[in-house]
């Protein structure tokens, strides 16, 4: 039941008078956590609800519905003001102090997390740091639509009640019409409100759908949203076509990974870790580093063939493009062998995630990209082997550096792996999101 995973609801002491503003107790629960919990020092109480206008909150969810469901957190250290207005609940109107919660898409799921890294005091109210929780996208849609229905039924005659009802009916109609819904999803993923994308941007991006597919459009938009999204995707496709780095990713078919892709209840990084374990077991790598020849053999190429030019060096993401059969052209960004191994491992991870003909390898915060990164980390650095080289009770910088040299990866690969495995604490909010 979606209600068990996500519930947004309101209770009113009485039905609002016609053309009066409603006042309700508003609660938001994600899985087992009440996200609306607050300490009220003036009333000397802790409570699990916010007092405010349910119509105002419903308007915020309706105005930003498509972006809340489909737009990811951008690959920036500080999201723009425009992004925060659409995803940070504190931006909702109505004169109410709303909880500092960010809501955004990770692809198939929707993530709820803290808008700030520390408790927030607003007047006599204190909001604790919200935990990071996720629900699948359909659960989010059903819960929000149920909230709309509840608010409209009670507040149809209140201030803005009729306007809210008309807006919700429009959203429902668009959501159920496949072509219109596809258009709205693409707008949101590109970082635009409905009907605000410059026509040339939308057309340049949508024209590539036949070449790369819907899923690749979504990932490319998350990796590099905005007015240059279409130009960037076209250049990435051209870079892949021009690449002379051609690998065979047949091993992706040989590890029985279908169920890994169909488990949205399991964090993407855990699924990536399991996929990497299966590849290492199949290829007999054990807990040892994958040296140059073994890595080339995994991709069924010669070591020299991996030294071709990086055709995606000037782009914000790398790409893979199916050539013939299981052969794929890889447009790499890096010229450094160590970093190229990681990009190529991500490309293999992407082929495990989906057998689409085109895919991007980026720093985006979607589940598909998280899966790629976790797969690459665990393929190149087996966790059980790392235990033999690092004192998990007292890891040192020297140990991390030596392990990175041993496994021929960047030190950050070791660090991120240990953070995901909870050996090291997350140092940044971005690292906490990676584990969600």
């Amino acid at each position: 039941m979606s209600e068990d995973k996500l519930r947004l609801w309101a209770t009113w002491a009485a039905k609002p008078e016609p053309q009066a503003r409603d006042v309700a107790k508003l609660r938001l629960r994600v899985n087992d956590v009440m996200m609306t919990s607050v300490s009220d020092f003036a009333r000397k109480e802790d409570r699990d609800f916010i007092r405010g206008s349910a119509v105002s909150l419903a308007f915020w969810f309706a105005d930003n519905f498509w972006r809340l469901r489909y737009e990811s957190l951008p690959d920036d250290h500080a999201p723009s003001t425009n992004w925060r207005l659409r995803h940070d609940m504190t931006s909702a109107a109505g004169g109410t102090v709303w909880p500092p919660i960010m809501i955004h898409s990770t692809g198939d799921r929707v993530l709820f997390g803290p808008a700030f890294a520390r408790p927030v005091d607003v007047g006599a109210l204190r909001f604790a740091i919200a935990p990071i929780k996720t629900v699948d996208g359909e659960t989010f849609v059903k819960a929000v639509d149920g909230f709309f229905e509840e608010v409209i039924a009670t507040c149809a005659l209140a201030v803005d009640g009729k306007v809210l009802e008309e807006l919700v009916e429009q959203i429902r109609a668009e959501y159920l019409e496949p072509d219109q819904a596809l258009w709205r999803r693409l707008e949101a993923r590109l970082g635009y409100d409905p009907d605000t994308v410059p026509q040339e941007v939308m057309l340049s991006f949508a024209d590539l759908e036949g070449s790369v597919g819907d899923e690749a459009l979504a990932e490319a938009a998350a990796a590099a949203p905005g007015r240059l999204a279409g130009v960037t995707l076209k250049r990435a496709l051209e870079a892949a076509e021009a690449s002379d780095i051609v690998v065979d990713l047949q091993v992706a078919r040989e590890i029985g990974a279908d169920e890994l892709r169909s488990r949205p209840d399991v964090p993407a990084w855990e699924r990536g870790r399991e996929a990497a374990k299966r590849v290492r077991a199949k290829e007999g790598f054990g807990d040892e580093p994958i040296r140059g020849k073994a890595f080339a053999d995994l991709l069924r190429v010669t070591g020299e063939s991996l030294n071709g030019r990086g055709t995606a060096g000037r782009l914000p993401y790398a790409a893979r493009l199916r050539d013939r059969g299981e052969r794929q052209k890889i447009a790499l960004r890096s010229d450094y062998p160590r970093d190229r191994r990681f990009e190529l491992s991500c490309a293999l991870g992407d082929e495990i995630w989906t057998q689409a003909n085109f895919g991007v390898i980026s720093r985006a915060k979607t589940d598909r990209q998280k899966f790629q990164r976790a797969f690459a980390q665990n393929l190149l650095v087996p966790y059980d082997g790392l235990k033999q080289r690092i004192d998990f009770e007292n890891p040192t910088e020297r140990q991390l550096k030596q392990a990175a040299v041993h496994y021929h990866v960047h030190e950050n690969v070791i660090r991120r792996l240990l953070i995901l495995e909870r050996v090291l604490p997350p140092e940044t909010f971005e690292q906490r999101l990676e584990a969600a």
Side-chain angles (χ1 to χ4, degrees):
M1 294 288 291
S2 62
E3 189 175 277
D4 295 332
K5 299 178 181 178
L6 175 63
R7 190 177 179 205
L8 173 61
W9 76 104
T11 54
W12 295 263
K15 206 172 208 181
E17 295 292 328
Q19 293 308 303
R21 187 166 299 281
D22 78 292
V23 178
K25 294 179 180 179
L26 295 149
R27 292 177 173 89
L28 170 63
R29 188 186 71 222
V30 186
N31 295 319
D32 56 346
V33 175
M34 291 297 295
M35 308 292 276
T36 45
S37 295
V38 62
S39 296
D40 188 331
F41 300 127
R43 296 174 180 262
K44 296 182 180 180
E45 66 178 12
D46 295 329
R47 59 176 189 264
D48 64 359
F49 62 85
I50 302 300
R51 289 187 179 90
S53 167
V55 172
S56 294
L57 185 59
F59 256 115
W60 184 78
F61 274 97
D63 283 339
N64 302 302
F65 172 81
W66 294 101
R67 293 182 68 174
L68 289 169
R69 170 60 189 91
Y70 293 106
E71 185 180 17
S72 301
L73 182 68
D75 183 30
D76 296 317
H77 293 295
S80 68
T81 299
N82 177 279
W83 191 92
R84 281 194 173 275
L85 286 172
R86 274 55 181 184
H87 296 273
D88 186 341
M89 194 183 290
T90 61
S91 65
T96 297
V97 178
W98 302 105
I101 299 169
M102 287 198 312
I103 307 171
H104 59 85
S105 174
T106 66
D108 291 335
R109 300 181 300 153
V110 175
L111 183 146
F112 293 75
F116 302 99
R118 60 186 182 280
V120 175
D121 291 353
V122 183
L125 301 180
R126 169 170 290 181
F127 295 95
I129 301 174
I132 296 175
K133 296 289 182 178
T134 64
V135 298
D136 65 89
E138 194 58 30
T139 291
F140 174 81
V141 171
K142 289 180 179 178
V144 171
D145 189 61
F147 179 61
F148 290 154
E149 186 173 349
E150 178 184 43
V151 175
I152 292 169
T154 302
C155 303
L157 300 180
V159 170
D160 295 330
K162 185 62 176 177
V163 179
L164 174 65
E165 183 176 8
E166 292 172 353
L167 177 57
V168 168
E169 286 304 315
Q170 178 183 338
I171 293 170
R172 287 170 173 166
E174 292 174 345
Y175 190 81
L176 293 174
E177 204 289 303
D179 289 340
Q180 186 67 57
L182 177 62
W183 190 264
R184 290 288 185 244
R185 292 197 297 268
L186 190 51
E187 289 174 321
R189 284 165 170 152
L190 288 168
Y192 290 92
D193 294 333
D195 299 324
T196 66
V197 187
Q199 186 176 24
E200 65 274 13
V201 174
M202 197 68 164
L203 292 178
S204 68
F205 201 68
D207 281 348
L208 296 168
E209 179 185 356
S211 300
V212 304
D214 290 346
E215 291 185 3
L217 284 184
E219 291 298 309
R227 63 184 184 85
L228 296 179
V231 174
T232 301
L233 178 55
K234 183 179 179 182
R235 289 176 178 171
L237 182 59
E238 292 170 347
E241 290 170 341
S243 178
D244 54 6
I245 300 175
V246 184
V247 299
D248 188 322
L249 303 182
Q250 173 63 33
V251 69
R253 304 284 199 283
E254 299 171 350
I255 62 168
D258 287 347
E259 83 280 6
L260 294 177
R261 293 188 293 271
S262 60
R263 292 288 309 277
D265 56 315
V266 178
W269 76 268
E270 292 186 13
R271 288 180 275 165
R273 176 182 61 186
E274 174 60 25
K277 285 183 178 180
R278 295 184 188 186
V279 171
R280 290 190 70 93
K282 180 185 180 303
E283 298 297 315
F285 292 140
D287 294 330
E288 296 303 312
I290 305 176
R291 302 301 182 190
K293 184 179 185 307
F295 188 74
D297 289 345
L298 174 65
L299 304 179
R300 301 184 183 184
V301 295
T302 62
E304 293 75 16
S305 66
L306 298 179
N307 296 326
R309 63 192 178 95
T311 52
R314 296 180 179 274
L315 298 174
Y317 51 80
R320 66 172 181 85
L321 175 67
R322 195 173 307 282
D323 185 26
R324 298 184 306 275
E326 304 303 327
R327 307 287 289 177
Q328 304 208 19
K329 293 186 172 185
I330 312 296
L332 297 175
R333 298 182 67 221
S334 178
D335 289 329
Y336 295 100
R338 175 194 66 187
D339 297 334
R340 284 182 160 215
R341 281 161 52 93
F342 191 84
E343 283 187 282
L344 287 163
S345 298
C346 283
L348 175 55
D350 193 58
E351 177 70 5
I352 293 172
W353 179 273
T354 174
Q355 280 76 58
N357 290 332
F358 182 83
V360 304
I361 296 98
S362 76
R363 294 188 296 268
K365 297 172 178 63
T366 65
D367 286 340
R368 181 169 170 178
Q369 302 301 317
K370 290 179 184 179
F371 178 92
Q372 289 178 19
R373 290 190 289 267
F375 172 82
Q377 289 161 13
N378 286 274
L379 178 69
L380 298 175
V381 185
Y383 183 66
D384 289 339
L386 200 57
K387 291 178 181 177
Q388 310 305 315
R389 312 196 70 82
I390 292 179
D391 178 3
F392 282 5
E393 296 298 322
N394 186 32
T396 66
E397 288 296 323
R398 179 179 176 83
Q399 291 172 354
L400 267 62
K401 291 179 181 178
Q402 290 176 336
V405 171
H406 180 71
Y407 287 107
H408 195 38
V409 296
H410 194 284
E411 184 182 336
N412 284 342
V413 174
I414 304 291
R415 191 179 305 279
R416 288 195 297 265
L417 179 59
L418 293 180
I419 288 171
L420 288 173
E421 297 290 352
R422 296 180 175 82
V423 175
L424 293 176
E427 299 171 346
T428 66
F429 178 60
E430 183 176 5
Q431 290 168 347
R432 291 176 61 196
L433 290 177
E434 192 75 4

